Amino acid sequence: IEGDIRDPRIVVHIGRTCALDAIVHLAARAGVRPSIRDPALYADVNLGGTSRILELVRQFGVRRFIFASSSSVYGERRKVPFREIDPVDHPVSPYAATKKGGELLCHAYHHLYQADVTCLRFFTVYGPRQRPEMAIHKFIRLISEGEPVPMYGDGTARRDFTYIDDIVDGILRALDRASGYAIFNLGNNRMISVAEAIDAIGAALGKTARIERLPAQPGDVSTTCADISHSERELGYRPHTPFEEGIRKAVAWYKDPD
């Protein structure tokens, strides 16, 4: 069924025509920089749309709900790795604020209606079929085509890049094992700088990247890194894809997407 999660008619239609054991809610407006350009749209989709899906949970008695949150809720912080019990009260972009708001909505519905609700904080997901504007896909395309690669800041910003297969594994484990209201980090527990990521992509492509240095962007954070000990203990989550291997797989898909 294709539709807009803000449309109550579609949401009710799903509830009436589908036998729902669980909902994995991945639909959102994503991206830090676009959220700064259009914060109202992000609030409308990520908060208003999530409210519609949570109403589906209430109206049709869905017992298990998985919400895709984001590492962006941690904001700008130097202390790593990030733990689920760390305070997340200072988002630095509208996108991050909507994901924190989504977690709060999830808790309210768990408290009121006793559904099992799990919030999964994804850390910089990449891999085959990634959206083309996201960094890894964009860098692969630009380096492959010999175009300059934009580097915002000095390239030392670090990210906990997580391969898509490991994220999917974490989602399935949460469906099987999580209960009550819970928050889990899904990351790789390894920091890679933007400069290192560009070098790894160039190596996988057998090309040297041409760098276009640009000022740091508002809303970007300097570091992300997931403490995954809680996810390991409760879900049995263990990422299996090293960054370099994930990049090789992403490049292979880019060259032959079929």
Side-chain angles (χ1 to χ4, degrees):
I1 300 170
E2 294 187 10
D4 191 325
I5 59 172
R6 295 170 294 178
D7 186 341
R9 296 169 299 176
I10 290 176
V11 174
V12 170
H13 171 70
I14 291 170
R16 287 175 175 169
T17 58
C18 302
L20 299 174
D21 299 308
I23 293 174
V24 179
H25 176 31
L26 305 175
R29 296 292 301 193
V32 167
R33 295 169 197 161
S35 78
I36 296 173
R37 294 193 294 269
D38 198 347
L41 176 61
Y42 274 67
D44 190 25
V45 174
N46 294 359
L47 294 174
T50 296
S51 295
R52 293 289 186 193
I53 302 299
L54 285 167
E55 275 294 282
L56 179 62
V57 171
R58 178 189 67 82
Q59 291 174 349
F60 295 93
V62 181
R63 300 311 308 160
R64 189 173 297 277
F65 184 78
I66 307 290
F67 173 67
S69 188
S70 167
S71 62
S72 67
V73 302
Y74 289 104
E76 177 60 62
R77 58 195 311 120
R78 298 288 182 174
K79 183 180 178 181
V80 294
F82 302 165
R83 302 178 302 165
E84 292 90 344
I85 61 173
D86 289 341
V88 289
D89 299 325
H90 298 95
V92 296
S93 69
Y95 171 68
T98 63
K99 285 300 180 180
K100 171 59 177 176
E103 292 182 357
L104 296 175
L105 283 169
C106 285
H107 184 273
Y109 272 75
H110 160 73
H111 174 76
L112 291 170
Y113 308 112
Q114 290 76 55
D116 291 326
V117 177
T118 305
C119 301
L120 301 176
R121 291 173 176 169
F122 298 164
F123 279 70
T124 316
V125 187
Y126 74 100
R129 299 173 183 82
Q130 185 180 21
R131 299 198 321 275
E133 82 278 7
M134 298 297 287
I136 296 297
H137 189 154
K138 182 178 180 180
F139 292 167
I140 292 172
R141 176 178 59 81
L142 292 173
I143 296 172
S144 178
E145 296 175 357
E147 297 294 326
V149 177
M151 179 189 290
Y152 296 97
D154 61 5
T156 60
R158 299 177 297 173
R159 294 289 180 268
D160 191 344
F161 292 100
T162 314
Y163 190 66
I164 181 61
D165 289 10
D166 293 322
I167 292 291
V168 172
D169 177 67
I171 294 171
L172 295 176
R173 288 177 180 276
L175 276 171
D176 289 339
R177 303 187 185 194
S179 61
Y181 177 80
I183 297 174
F184 295 101
N185 288 335
L186 295 186
N188 204 38
N189 192 228
R190 177 187 174 192
M191 294 181 291
I192 304 290
S193 73
V194 173
E196 289 171 331
I198 292 172
D199 287 344
I201 293 169
L205 286 166
K207 297 188 176 184
T208 300
R210 294 196 295 121
I211 304 299
E212 180 185 8
R213 298 188 179 277
L214 298 169
Q217 295 292 291
D220 283 353
V221 298
S222 59
T223 302
T224 66
C225 184
D227 183 332
I228 57 174
S229 57
H230 180 51
S231 301
E232 288 178 334
R233 185 172 57 253
E234 300 298 325
L235 303 179
Y237 170 75
R238 293 178 182 84
H240 295 291
T241 312
F243 180 70
E244 294 78 8
E245 179 184 342
I247 289 297
R248 288 193 293 271
K249 290 181 176 180
V251 166
W253 169 81
Y254 178 82
K255 291 180 175 179
D256 185 12
D258 296 330

